[in-house]
């Protein structure tokens, strides 16, 4: 019996699909094989980088390897969405993320960090716009949305909900800003509160002395 090679699969952000490290290692190898055939394959570059980036977030690869992949991507697809997104993911310079969004405003991959950026800068109109676009894209776990809807629904009016980490905050904001549900509840991300400007503005809104 001859084994049939499976084609590589699209790599989604872990807010939609969080699988084992072994899965991402296998997919990275498959997408790398695609790049060995065609170095300007933008789909292969993006998915290869995404697989490696998720492995980095899981502690299964190094920043050095990620930087080397980013360097190669920049040379192969200069000025592209893929290059801008990868550069932001490695260097955390917001200008690269804004450029990626400008190049491809309907690509959901930029939305999560842009929401954090606009949240920190108190640009709630932008936050609402991105939450609505993210929901419209369908690129989110429906299970997470349902779970967070139930959590919001069970809280008392005008509650303050503290969250730890972006993945706990985004689904709540998607329900609130994207669907217009339970916007009386103040969802405060503890990481964002380490930013003095943001923290002082929020505390002032809530009447908390600093």
């Amino acid at each position: 019996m001859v084994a049939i090679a499976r084609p590589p699969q699209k790599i989604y952000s872990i807010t939609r699909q969080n699988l084992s490290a072994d899965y991402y290692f296998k997919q990275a190898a498959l997408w790398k094989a695609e790049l060995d055939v065609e170095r300007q394959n933008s789909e292969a570059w993006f998915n290869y980088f995404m697989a490696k980036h998720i492995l980095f977030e899981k502690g299964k690869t190094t920043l050095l390897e990620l930087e080397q992949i980013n360097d190669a991507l920049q040379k192969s697809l200069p000025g592209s969405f893929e290059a801008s997104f990868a550069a932001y993911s490695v260097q955390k310079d917001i200008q690269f993320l804004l450029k990626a969004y400008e190049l491809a405003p309907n690509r959901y991959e930029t939305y999560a960090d842009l929401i954090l950026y606009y949240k920190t800068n108190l640009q709630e109109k932008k936050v609402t716009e991105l939450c609505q676009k993210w929901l419209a894209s369908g690129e989110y776990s429906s299970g997470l949305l349902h779970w967070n809807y139930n959590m919001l629904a069970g809280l008392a009016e005008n509650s303050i909900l503290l969250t730890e980490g972006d993945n706990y905050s985004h689904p709540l904001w998607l329900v609130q800003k994207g669907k217009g549900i339970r916007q009386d509840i103040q969802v405060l991300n503890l990481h964002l509160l380490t930013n003095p400007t943001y923290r002082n503005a929020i505390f002032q809104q809530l009447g908390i002395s600093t």
Side-chain angles (χ1 to χ4, degrees), residues 101 114-115 118 123-132:
Y101 180 75
L114 281 175
I115 286 170
Y118 288 124
Q123 294 179 258
E124 290 298 324
K125 185 177 180 180
K126 288 282 191 180
V127 172
T128 298
E129 175 188 323
L130 285 166
C131 285
Q132 290 173 346

Side-chain angles (χ1 to χ4, degrees), residues 23-40:
Y23 169 83
Y24 293 109
F25 275 119
K26 288 179 179 177
Q27 291 303 313
L30 290 171
W31 284 113
K32 179 63 166 58
E34 296 286 316
L35 289 172
D36 290 340
V37 175
E38 183 186 352
R39 294 294 290 178
Q40 276 67 50

